């Protein structure tokens, strides 16, 4: 029997490779590429890079652990969703999540620099709860995941002082949940 490697999930794999390249560039430049391109923060809207950063912030990661935490979740959930909904829809989920989390961060938290794919990861996690939706029924797994997830993020935001953007997790998860109601599987 001959085994071969398949490029089974193009959007998720390309997203992963871009994130890995962005992390490598960030390490090589001593953090300058994250600041310049792969994070979003309040800046002049006359700066053309401000618009690129609103999307590109999902590619940047502070370090290897940050990258692994997000990409592991995305690689577990993403290919199944890409197979179920199609590549263009998953690309749309990533873009919508990036834009919403970037814009909200810039408007509500002007002093905070946002980077990382955690909003995308949580968007995909909540979207995955909809893969078995039938006949207008809301899966109990979605309700449990949403409650546990949102409650955990609210508790973390209130009790833990770290660099994790809990609002990005909540917005990403909410985006995935809303898109779960709107998207229809391709098969």
């Amino acid at each position: 029997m001959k085994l071969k490697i398949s490029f089974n999930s193009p959007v998720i794999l390309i997203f992963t490779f871009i994130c890995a390249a962005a992390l490598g560039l960030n390490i090589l430049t001593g953090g300058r590429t994250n600041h310049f391109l792969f994070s979003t923060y309040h800046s002049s809207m006359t700066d053309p890079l401000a618009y690129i950063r609103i999307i590109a912030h999902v590619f940047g990661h502070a370090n290897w652990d940050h990258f692994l935490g997000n990409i592991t979740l995305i690689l577990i959930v993403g290919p199944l969703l890409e197979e179920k909904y199609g590549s263009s829809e998953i690309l749309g989920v990533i873009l919508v999540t990036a834009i919403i989390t970037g814009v909200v961060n810039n408007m509500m938290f002007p002093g905070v620099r946002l980077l990382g794919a955690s909003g995308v990861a949580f968007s995909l996690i909540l979207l995955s709860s909809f893969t078995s939706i039938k006949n207008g029924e809301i899966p109990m797994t979605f309700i449990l995941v949403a409650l546990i997830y949102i409650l955990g993020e609210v508790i973390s935001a209130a009790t833990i002082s770290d660099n994790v953007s809990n609002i990005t997790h909540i917005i990403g998860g909410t985006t995935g949940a809303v898109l779960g109601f709107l998207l229809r599987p391709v098969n």
Side-chain angles (χ1 to χ4, degrees), residues 24-48:
L25 284 171
N26 188 57
I27 292 167
L28 289 173
T29 63
R32 286 188 287 285
T33 54
N34 269 1
H35 181 75
F36 182 67
L37 190 60
F38 298 118
S39 62
T40 189
Y41 44 87
H42 184 74
S43 59
S44 171
M45 296 314 287
T46 61
D47 177 6

Side-chain angles (χ1 to χ4, degrees), residues 2-160:
K2 187 175 176 182
L3 295 176
K4 65 179 183 173
I5 297 173
S6 68
F7 202 70
N8 64 319
S9 184
V11 169
I12 296 300
L13 289 170
I14 290 169
F15 181 83
T16 299
F17 297 147
I18 293 170
C19 289
L23 178 62
L25 284 171
N26 188 57
I27 292 167
L28 289 173
T29 63
R32 286 188 287 285
T33 54
N34 269 1
H35 181 75
F36 182 67
L37 190 60
F38 298 118
S39 62
T40 189
Y41 44 87
H42 184 74
S43 59
S44 171
M45 296 314 287
T46 61
D47 177 6
L49 285 178
Y51 300 97
I52 293 170
R53 286 191 294 260
I54 284 176
I55 294 172
H57 77 274
V58 297
F59 301 128
H61 289 85
N63 54 44
W64 183 249
D65 289 336
H66 186 209
F67 170 80
L68 283 179
N70 287 331
I71 293 303
T72 301
L73 287 171
I74 290 168
L75 285 171
I76 290 169
V77 179
L80 301 171
L81 291 172
E82 192 167 343
E83 182 180 327
K84 183 82 171 176
Y85 291 102
S87 296
S88 60
E89 284 77 6
I90 296 306
L91 177 60
V93 169
I94 292 169
L95 289 173
V96 167
T97 302
I99 291 167
I100 291 172
T101 56
V103 168
V104 168
N105 182 77
N106 291 356
M107 290 174 56
M108 294 180 61
F109 306 100
V112 174
R113 189 169 65 113
L114 178 66
L115 75 153
S118 59
V120 171
F122 285 106
S123 184
L124 295 176
I125 289 168
L126 269 285
L127 178 60
S128 72
S129 298
F130 282 87
T131 57
S132 62
I133 197 165
K134 298 177 213 162
N135 303 326
E137 297 173 353
I138 298 174
M140 180 59 109
T141 54
F142 165 74
I143 295 169
L144 288 173
V145 168
L147 285 174
I148 291 167
Y149 160 75
I150 291 171
L151 183 61
E153 290 303 315
V154 169
I155 290 170
S156 292
T159 61
I160 300 172

